[in-house]
Amino acid sequence: MGKDDTTKKRRKLMTSSTNENVKQSPEDVYKKVVDFEEAEARQRPAEKDAALFKKICQDVRQLFADIAELKEIGTEEAREKINAKRIEASLQLVALKKVNRLEKVRTRAGRDALHKEKQRVDSTHLLLQNLLYEADHLNKEVTKCLQFKSKDEEIELVPVEDFYKNAPADVSRPDITKTDEHQLQLARLEWELRQRRELSGACSELVASKERVAAAIAAARSRLDALAPHLKDVLKATKPLQECLALRLDEKREETKLAALLPPPLFLLYANASAYSDALGTKNLVVGISGDEDEARRFDQTSNTEVELVVSNDSDSDQDGNDEDRREKKKRHHRSAKISKEEKAEAKKKEALKKHPLHVLVTVKIPDGTALNLVFSYLTHLKIIVVRYTMHHPKPITGVSAADVLDGDCVLNELYTGDTGSDSPHPATTYLLKAAGILDGFPQFIPDIGKPYIWAQRMCGLDFMTAVGDEQKDLKNIQLCPSLSVATVENFIFTLQKRLKARVELMKELQDLECGKITPTKEMSSIRLSGSLTQWQAVSWSEYSQSPSTAFLISESLVTPDDMLYRAIITRQSAKLVALVSLCSDYPKKSPLFSLTLHYNGTYDNATSDDIRDIERLVNTDWQKSNMCSLTNQITKLLTCLDVLLETMGTQEFPPDKVMLLLVRGRNRLKPYKFLKQGTGMFVQV
Amino acid sequence: MLDKILYNTVLCQTFSPCGKYLVAGNIYGQLAVFDLDCILNPNTELLTPGYNSPKHIHKIESSSQICSLASTDRFLIVGSVNEIYGWTWKAILNSKLSKPSWTIKIKSESFIEQCDINCLWLSEDSEKLYAGCGDNKVYVFNLEDGSLMQTLAGHENYVHCIHGHDRQLISAGEDGLVLLWDIRTGKAQNEIEPHKNSKVARPDIGKWVGAAALGDDWIVCGGGPRLALWHLRSLDAVTVFDIPDHGIHIASFLDDCILAGGTAKHLYQLTYSGDIRVELPVSSTTVYSAIVRTNPNKVLAIAGSSPDIDLCTTFNYRDQVLHFR
C-alpha cells in the first residue's frame, strides 16, 4: 500500500521535473532542479523521509530475498517473476537515491544555518567585549575623579557659621552658597584669602613697630649706661656726709649688691624676707647674706657662660666625661694609681652636692629672746634649697626632756603637716644623683648638707608640685613663683613664731613636770590633790608601742613615731598610775594623748577596765583651745580623776575626801570625775 | 582634739519589730540605726566601705545618755535621763529625727539629782512598761495613756536591771539586793543578797548586782558577786559559774543556756551545771548589752564600751563588727 503511494508520487515528481526540463535550457533546468529539490527538502519533514528510507530498504531486502528464492526454484514462471521483481527493485532504488539526495541537501542547509548563527554569536561577543572594556575604562575615570584632592582642602578655613556671621554679603552670597556646596567653598576661600591678606598686612606693621620700639629701647639703654659714671660720682660725693650722720646706707647697699649675686631662688627669699624684716622690725626677724663674694662673682660668670652652652648640654656632658677620663689617665701616668677611684667618687659627690657660695641667713625671734637661726643654701646642681639651723636660748634649760623640745630638729619637725624634711621634695633629685654617678640616696647626705624642707623650697618660690610629671628637660629651668614665696615667707614667719612660743611654754611646763611640780589652775585650786607626779621622762617609740595601753591609739593611727613621747608616773600610797603621753609636734593645736595603766590590786588599762577608759575619755577628749588648757591642766585633771577613782573604791586606804554627789551612777557605774564649781566645788558624773 | 566617739560606750540596743533594723543608744545621747538586711545579706555589687556603719545617727535633744531601749510594734521606747521618749518606728527610720511622739517625765527629787532610766521591760502583752530607775524605784506605766500605775519601792540604791516572767518581776540594784515582786500586788515577795553569800561574794569588785533574769524555776544574777544560778523557790545558789570577769552586766536565759557577760574579754554561754559552752570574743571592754533575735533569723548583737558592735548569726562566733562612730 505505502509502496504504491510512493511509487505514484515518484512518478508524478518525475513527470513534473521532466516537463520543466523540457521547457527550459539545460543550465536553467539544473538550477531549477536544485532549487526545487531544496524547496522540497525544506517542505518535507525529515522524520517522514527517514521512515520512508527505512521502508524502501526493507522492501528492497524483501525483493532480493524473493528473487533469491525464485532463483532456487529456477522455473520459467519464476524467471518472469524475477524480472518483475527486478524492475520493482530498480524503482525502489531510484526512490532511495532521491531520498538520499534530499537528505544531503538538508544537511548542507543545516550546516549553512549553523555557520551563519555562529558568526552572529561571534560578532555579538566581540561587541560585548568592547562594551565591557569601555565600561571599565569609564569606571577608572570615575574613581580618578572621585579621588581628586583639591589644594583648598588643606587650607584651614573659618567655620561656616563664623563665615556667614563675619563675611560681607558680596563675598558670602548666601542666596547661592546656601544651596550650592561648591559655591560656598569658593566663597569661603575667597573670604579666607581676603582675611589672610589683611592679617599679613597687620603683622608686617606690628613687626615694624616692634623694631621701632627696640630701637627706642636701645637708645634709652645707652643713655642710662652713660648715667652710671655720673651716679658713681654723686655717691662718692655723699660719702663724707654719710659718715658725718652715721647712716648705714652703704652697708645696706653692699648687701644689696651681694644680693644681686644670689641665685634666683635665694634672691627671692632674701627680697621677701628683708621686706618682712623691715615691716616687723629686727626684734622679730633679721635677714642677712653670708659667703664668699669673690667666689660668688666667679660662679656667676661661669654660670652665665654655661647658660649659653645649655642647648647642647647632653653631648657636652658626655664629652666632659671623656675628657675627665683622659685627664685621669694622664694623671695616672704621673702619680701613683692609689688615689684615683675614691677621690674621683668624692669629687663627683662634691660636685653634685655643690652649694652656691652665698647663703641667706634668717633669724626668727620671739619676745623672750629665744631665736632660731636658719641658713638657707642653694644646691646648684640639684636645684633645691637646704636649711641648717641653730637655736639660741636666752637662759640655759634644765631638764632633759625639756631641752629636747626646743631642739631645732624638733621645733621644725612637721611645721606643716607631713613636712619632715627627710627627703628631697624635687622629683628629679634621684635621677640627677644617678646621672652624676652617685648611688646613695639623697637622705644619706641630709646630715651633712642640711634639710630640704618643703616650706624652704616654697619660701624661695620653688614649687615642685607643678613640676611633677614633666620631662627632665623642663626640670632644668623650673619657673620661680614670686607670689608663692611672698605668701609662704609670711606664713612661715608667723607659724614659726607661734611654734617657738608654744615650745617655750611647753619647755617651761616640762621643766616643772620633771621636777614633779604641778601648778593647778585657778578653778581647780580648791581641790586637794593627794597623788603626786613622781616621774616624767621621755621614752622611745619602741617602749611606747610595747605597752598594751597604747595599742588602741596606735591602731587608730593617732600617735606616730614622729610625735614626742613621755612617760609620767603618778603615785598615791600603793596605787601607781603610769601614763604614756604623746605630744604631737603641733601642740598646743592638738591635745596631748594619754594612755593609762593603773597598778593597784592588779593591772588595768583601757582594754580591761572601763574606769581607766572613762578617765582617758575625759582627759583626752575634753580639750578646748584656750590658753587655760595645757599639758599641766591635763595632768591636774588626771590626778583628780585618779583620786576620785581610788576614793570611790571604798577601801580603807583611800578614805573619801572630796564632795561627791553619787559615788557611782548608771549601768556603766560611772565615777564622778567631773568637777562642778558649786559652793566649795563637788564632783558629779559627766 | 580627739573625737570622743572613739571612746563611745553603747549602753543599750534593740531590734525593730520587723527585724530589719538594730538600734543602739550611747552615752552621748546618740541613737544609731543599723540596717541589718543590708549587713547580713550584703549585695556585693552595692557594697560600700561604710556598709557596717549606721544608716542614721540621731541625737536626742537633751544630749544626755541613752540608758535603755525597748521596742513595741509601733514605738521605739527610749529611756534617757529623767525622761522616757516614744518615737514611732517610721520617725526613727527618717533621716532626720522629729520630736518624740510622747514623753514620760519622771520627777527627780532635787534639782541636781538626776534619774537615769537604767532598764526598760515590757510586759508580755505590751500594755505595761516597767522602768528600773536611778532613784531606786521601779515604775510601772500604762502604755495606752502614759499614766503611772504602780511604783515599786524597795531598793536602797539605783536599779541596774529588771526582768519579768510569769507574774513575777525581778530587779537588781547597786545596793546588792535582788528583789522579786508580785506584778499584781506590787509588793516585794522575796529577796536575795548575793554579797552575803560567801560562795559568790567578791568584795574587791563590790556588792552591786548588775544583771538578773527570771526563768521558770531559776534566777540567774551577778554583778560584783559572781554569776550564779539560784533556785526560785528555795533561793539557794545552786551553781556558781567560774568565769574570769571583773563584774557582770549581762545575764539572761537563752534556750537551755545562760548568756552572760560584763567586764571580760568574752561573752559566755553556760550550761546550768556550770560548764562553758561557747566563749565569744567581744570588742568591748565591758559588755552592757547583748540582745538576741530568733525571727526571721538568728542574730546576737553585743555592745558595750567600744565604738564597735559585734554581730553573731550563729551565736557561736563573731560574724561581723558594726561601727558606731
Side-chain angles (χ1 to χ4, degrees):
Chain A
M1 195 169 63
K3 198 169 38 181
D4 290 343
D5 260 0
T6 47
T7 46
K8 267 179 204 166
K9 217 183 212 168
R10 282 297 134 216
R11 262 170 226 145
K12 224 162 93 189
L13 284 172
M14 296 287 213
T15 50
S16 65
S17 68
T18 46
N19 282 349
E20 279 165 59
N21 279 349
V22 175
K23 277 172 194 172
Q24 275 126 20
S25 62
E27 237 178 67
D28 245 17
V29 169
Y30 184 72
K31 201 180 178 226
K32 275 205 177 149
V33 168
V34 170
D35 286 345
F36 173 78
E37 281 203 329
E38 275 176 6
E40 202 180 16
R42 263 195 308 272
Q43 274 159 14
R44 288 171 66 90
E47 288 84 24
K48 226 179 201 176
D49 281 354
L52 191 61
F53 170 74
K54 272 179 200 159
K55 176 110 178 53
I56 293 169
C57 289
Q58 190 67 40
D59 286 349
V60 171
R61 244 173 254 136
Q62 185 65 48
L63 285 173
F64 285 170
D66 288 348
I67 290 168
E69 234 170 76
L70 289 172
K71 266 192 181 168
E72 266 169 41
I73 298 165
T75 59
E76 201 62 26
E77 199 186 353
R79 233 170 249 158
E80 250 170 67
K81 267 185 187 174
I82 289 172
N83 275 340
K85 294 264 177 189
R86 262 185 198 151
I87 293 162
E88 207 173 328
S90 303
L91 287 172
Q92 291 286 11
L93 282 173
V94 171
L96 193 64
K97 225 173 179 180
K98 171 78 179 173
V99 171
N100 194 24
R101 209 161 47 238
L102 280 175
E103 191 54 46
K104 277 229 173 95
V105 169
R106 216 179 264 139
T107 311
R108 210 185 59 213
R111 202 171 283 151
D112 282 353
L114 179 69
H115 187 66
K116 225 176 175 179
E117 199 65 25
K118 224 180 206 171
Q119 261 181 339
R120 218 168 51 95
V121 167
D122 276 354
S123 72
T124 318
H125 188 69
L126 202 63
L127 194 66
L128 176 70
Q129 288 290 341
N130 279 341
L131 286 173
L132 277 176
Y133 179 75
E134 209 171 315
D136 204 35
H137 181 71
L138 287 174
N139 270 338
K140 260 182 205 161
E141 288 291 303
V142 167
T143 43
K144 225 182 249 172
C145 287
L146 285 177
Q147 277 169 354
F148 174 74
K149 280 243 154 85
S150 169
K151 276 219 167 152
D152 71 287
E153 279 171 43
E154 286 160 20
I155 300 171
E156 260 183 63
L157 289 177
V158 184
V160 181
E161 300 91 55
D162 293 357
F163 167 69
Y164 278 122
K165 216 186 282 167
N166 300 329
D170 62 313
V171 177
S172 65
R173 286 175 295 159
D175 46 330
I176 305 169
T177 53
K178 280 263 158 96
T179 50
D180 190 341
E181 192 86 2
H182 183 64
Q183 286 299 327
L184 171 66
Q185 185 72 7
L186 285 180
R188 284 174 73 189
L189 283 170
E190 190 189 333
W191 175 237
E192 190 71 29
L193 181 66
R194 235 191 239 192
Q195 273 189 318
R196 285 191 183 200
R197 265 196 196 130
E198 273 168 31
L199 286 175
S200 95
C203 176
S204 55
E205 224 169 83
L206 286 174
V207 167
S209 75
K210 186 185 150 198
E211 268 162 15
R212 274 200 303 281
V213 171
I217 289 173
R221 185 168 286 155
S222 65
R223 249 185 65 203
L224 282 176
D225 285 349
L227 264 177
H230 282 288
L231 287 173
K232 246 179 210 163
D233 290 345
V234 172
L235 270 182
K236 243 179 219 166
T238 58
K239 220 162 209 173
L241 184 67
Q242 268 186 49
E243 272 160 23
C244 274
L245 299 174
L247 287 174
R248 279 187 67 249
L249 291 177
D250 261 358
E251 262 173 61
K252 266 261 162 95
R253 208 169 294 125
E254 280 298 309
E255 212 170 68
T256 326
K257 221 196 262 166
L258 214 51
L261 291 172
L262 285 171
L266 285 181
F267 178 77
L268 202 56
L269 169 70
Y270 174 76
N272 286 321
S274 53
Y276 275 104
S277 166
D278 287 348
L280 299 171
T282 46
K283 252 193 252 167
N284 289 310
L285 188 66
V286 179
V287 182
I289 297 175
S290 74
D292 189 339
E293 189 186 338
D294 293 336
E295 205 172 312
R297 226 176 273 284
R298 227 173 299 137
F299 185 85
D300 200 35
Q301 274 162 7
T302 50
S303 66
N304 272 346
T305 50
E306 249 170 46
V307 165
E308 286 156 27
L309 290 172
V310 132
V311 189
S312 55
N313 201 348
D314 284 336
S315 56
D316 273 3
S317 65
D318 282 357
Q319 271 180 2
D320 281 354
N322 289 341
D323 285 352
E324 225 167 79
D325 281 355
R326 239 171 281 146
R327 239 176 284 147
E328 202 64 43
K329 269 177 198 163
K330 273 183 196 167
K331 272 181 198 167
R332 226 172 269 167
H333 283 302
H334 294 299
R335 294 180 195 174
S336 62
K338 195 180 147 196
I339 334 156
S340 58
K341 259 208 169 163
E342 280 172 30
E343 256 188 16
K344 197 174 150 194
E346 199 60 37
K348 258 187 188 169
K349 204 184 278 179
K350 233 178 215 170
E351 178 58 34
L353 299 174
K354 197 175 159 193
K355 285 178 182 174
H356 191 273
L358 293 182
H359 316 290
V360 173
L361 308 174
V362 177
T363 307
V364 179
K365 293 179 185 169
I366 58 167
D368 84 327
T370 310
L372 185 61
N373 303 313
L374 298 161
V375 182
F376 291 82
S377 315
Y378 183 58
L379 298 183
T380 52
H381 187 72
L382 297 179
K383 305 210 184 306
I384 52 174
I385 302 288
V386 289
V387 185
R388 307 188 66 116
Y389 35 78
T390 46
M391 283 298 293
H392 174 260
H393 308 295
K395 288 175 274 186
I397 301 168
T398 57
V400 188
S401 58
D404 284 347
V405 165
L406 269 179
D407 174 53
D409 243 343
C410 185
V411 169
L412 290 175
N413 185 29
E414 295 218 36
L415 194 58
Y416 298 98
T417 320
D419 189 3
T420 54
S422 53
D423 198 2
S424 165
H426 193 344
T429 300
T430 333
Y431 164 77
L432 287 172
L433 283 179
K434 230 179 247 169
I438 296 169
L439 298 174
D440 298 339
F442 185 74
Q444 273 169 296
F445 304 116
I446 286 179
D448 293 333
I449 57 173
K451 290 198 171 190
Y453 289 107
I454 294 170
W455 50 257
Q457 322 298 327
R458 292 169 71 89
M459 280 168 81
C460 296
L462 296 170
D463 192 0
F464 294 116
M465 292 310 171
T466 54
V468 174
D470 282 354
E471 292 304 310
Q472 304 294 351
K473 252 186 245 166
D474 299 338
L475 294 172
K476 295 261 181 226
N477 38 9
I478 284 169
Q479 292 292 313
L480 293 182
C481 176
S483 61
L484 176 75
S485 169
V486 174
T488 319
V489 168
E490 179 180 357
N491 190 309
F492 171 75
I493 293 165
F494 292 122
T495 313
L496 185 60
Q497 277 191 331
K498 213 186 260 173
R499 169 69 64 93
L500 278 176
K501 272 180 208 160
R503 283 302 164 89
V504 170
E505 290 293 311
L506 179 63
M507 182 268 291
K508 284 177 189 156
E509 271 182 54
L510 290 180
Q511 265 181 349
D512 285 353
L513 289 176
E514 266 182 78
C515 313
K517 199 165 78 186
I518 295 166
T519 38
T521 52
K522 229 184 269 167
E523 66 173 308
M524 306 277 267
S525 56
S526 56
I527 312 158
R528 202 161 57 87
L529 296 173
S530 313
S532 55
L533 182 66
T534 49
Q535 194 199 60
W536 176 273
Q537 70 176 55
V539 291
S540 65
W541 170 251
S542 63
E543 200 175 333
Y544 182 86
S545 56
Q546 266 163 21
S547 167
S549 62
T550 58
F552 163 66
L553 291 174
I554 293 170
S555 73
E556 295 286 337
S557 58
L558 294 164
V559 179
T560 62
D562 283 332
D563 295 336
M564 295 173 268
L565 307 169
Y566 301 98
R567 180 176 52 221
I569 296 178
I570 296 166
T571 49
R572 180 175 172 187
Q573 273 106 312
S574 64
K576 181 175 121 183
L577 183 70
V578 179
L580 288 165
V581 187
S582 82
L583 254 78
C584 155
S585 48
D586 240 1
Y587 173 88
K589 249 190 232 162
K590 284 187 193 158
S591 75
L593 296 180
F594 285 70
S595 43
L596 311 172
T597 312
L598 176 67
H599 300 274
Y600 177 70
N601 280 347
T603 306
Y604 303 98
D605 58 35
N606 65 21
T608 55
S609 162
D610 259 9
D611 290 321
I612 300 297
R613 195 166 172 268
D614 289 337
I615 296 177
E616 273 188 27
R617 178 193 293 136
L618 195 83
V619 173
N620 285 343
T621 67
D622 196 16
W623 173 265
Q624 286 106 24
K625 250 196 248 166
S626 69
N627 298 330
M628 291 301 288
C629 288
S630 64
L631 185 60
T632 319
N633 206 343
Q634 269 185 312
I635 291 183
T636 318
K637 215 185 265 175
L638 185 61
L639 280 170
T640 45
C641 285
L642 179 67
D643 284 348
V644 168
L645 176 62
L646 294 175
E647 284 165 24
T648 51
M649 280 181 176
T651 51
Q652 292 287 311
E653 196 178 350
F654 306 110
D657 123 287
K658 297 179 172 56
V659 184
M660 293 184 249
L661 209 58
L662 292 167
L663 289 183
V664 285
R665 183 183 148 189
R667 286 190 57 221
N668 45 348
R669 308 192 75 248
L670 194 64
K671 311 297 186 290
Y673 296 119
K674 192 171 180 181
F675 181 70
L676 203 66
K677 214 168 176 212
Q678 214 165 55
T680 54
M682 60 175 154
F683 287 88
V684 294
Q685 276 80 0
V686 179
Chain B
M1 182 180 138
L2 207 57
D3 194 352
K4 63 181 181 178
I5 204 77
L6 288 175
Y7 288 104
N8 193 4
T9 294
V10 179
L11 289 179
C12 49
Q13 308 171 93
T14 191
F15 292 112
S16 68
C18 59
K20 271 191 199 163
Y21 300 97
L22 170 72
V23 180
N26 72 0
I27 54 166
Y28 306 126
Q30 289 170 321
L31 282 169
V33 183
F34 293 95
D35 188 343
L36 286 185
D37 258 5
C38 225
I39 293 156
L40 295 177
N41 310 310
N43 185 343
T44 43
E45 286 158 32
L46 303 173
L47 207 59
T48 49
Y51 80 100
N52 52 3
S53 314
K55 196 175 167 213
H56 307 299
I57 294 185
H58 302 302
K59 182 147 191 166
I60 65 165
E61 221 165 81
S62 63
S63 294
S64 34
Q65 63 179 349
I66 293 172
C67 314
S68 52
L69 287 169
S71 90
T72 68
D73 283 342
R74 281 188 63 202
F75 294 106
L76 171 73
I77 303 169
V78 178
S80 179
V81 179
N82 293 339
E83 277 166 335
I84 302 173
Y85 309 103
W87 274 283
T88 58
W89 278 102
K90 213 173 136 199
I92 287 294
L93 297 175
N94 274 341
S95 57
K96 203 164 180 289
L97 192 66
S98 51
K99 286 233 158 48
S101 304
W102 48 263
T103 307
I104 299 173
K105 280 199 188 268
I106 292 172
K107 281 165 261 155
S108 52
E109 276 157 22
S110 73
F111 174 71
I112 298 172
E113 210 170 327
Q114 292 189 314
C115 169
D116 304 321
I117 318 296
N118 280 331
C119 189
L120 288 172
W121 185 74
L122 282 162
S123 63
E124 270 107 0
D125 52 11
S126 284
E127 278 175 6
K128 291 181 196 166
L129 177 69
Y130 294 79
C133 292
D135 60 356
N136 314 347
K137 296 184 181 96
V138 177
Y139 296 101
V140 187
F141 297 101
N142 188 343
L143 265 186
E144 280 295 312
D145 53 3
S147 59
L148 179 65
M149 294 166 79
Q150 268 177 337
T151 303
L152 315 181
H155 280 287
E156 286 152 25
N157 207 331
Y158 68 86
V159 179
H160 266 283
C161 177
I162 55 174
H163 184 246
H165 182 78
D166 194 23
R167 293 177 196 166
Q168 276 192 309
L169 187 81
I170 195 167
S171 65
E174 178 69 20
D175 54 358
L177 279 176
V178 177
L179 295 178
L180 270 165
W181 308 84
D182 187 317
I183 286 179
R184 288 165 300 181
T185 60
K187 294 263 161 17
Q189 288 175 315
N190 267 318
E191 64 172 54
I192 317 174
E193 281 181 285
H195 65 278
K196 291 196 175 153
N197 184 321
S198 61
K199 279 198 287 182
V200 294
R202 283 189 293 195
D204 55 325
I205 299 176
K207 62 180 185 177
W208 54 276
V209 181
L214 204 55
D216 283 331
D217 299 310
W218 305 98
I219 296 169
V220 65
C221 67
R226 284 182 192 287
L227 181 74
L229 191 69
W230 302 72
H231 192 247
L232 184 56
R233 268 173 289 281
S234 63
L235 298 180
D236 279 336
V238 179
T239 313
V240 179
F241 297 102
D242 183 28
I243 49 176
D245 65 286
H246 282 90
I248 296 290
H249 289 275
I250 291 293
S252 63
F253 293 101
L254 172 66
D255 297 334
D256 52 350
C257 283
I258 290 156
L259 188 70
T263 311
K265 293 214 177 325
H266 298 92
L267 186 78
Y268 296 92
Q269 281 171 48
L270 308 149
T271 60
Y272 287 10
S273 57
D275 299 325
I276 294 171
R277 185 176 280 181
V278 179
E279 266 184 343
L280 265 174
V282 291
S283 310
S284 314
T285 307
T286 303
V287 178
Y288 290 114
S289 167
I291 55 168
V292 173
R293 184 189 77 178
T294 49
N295 195 25
N297 44 12
K298 289 208 303 193
V299 177
L300 168 63
I302 307 160
S305 48
S306 160
D308 297 338
I309 297 176
D310 301 317
L311 215 58
C312 319
T313 46
T314 55
F315 304 169
N316 290 333
Y317 57 87
R318 176 161 53 180
D319 264 353
Q320 298 211 42
V321 177
L322 310 182
H323 300 304
F324 186 172
R325 52 166 94 170

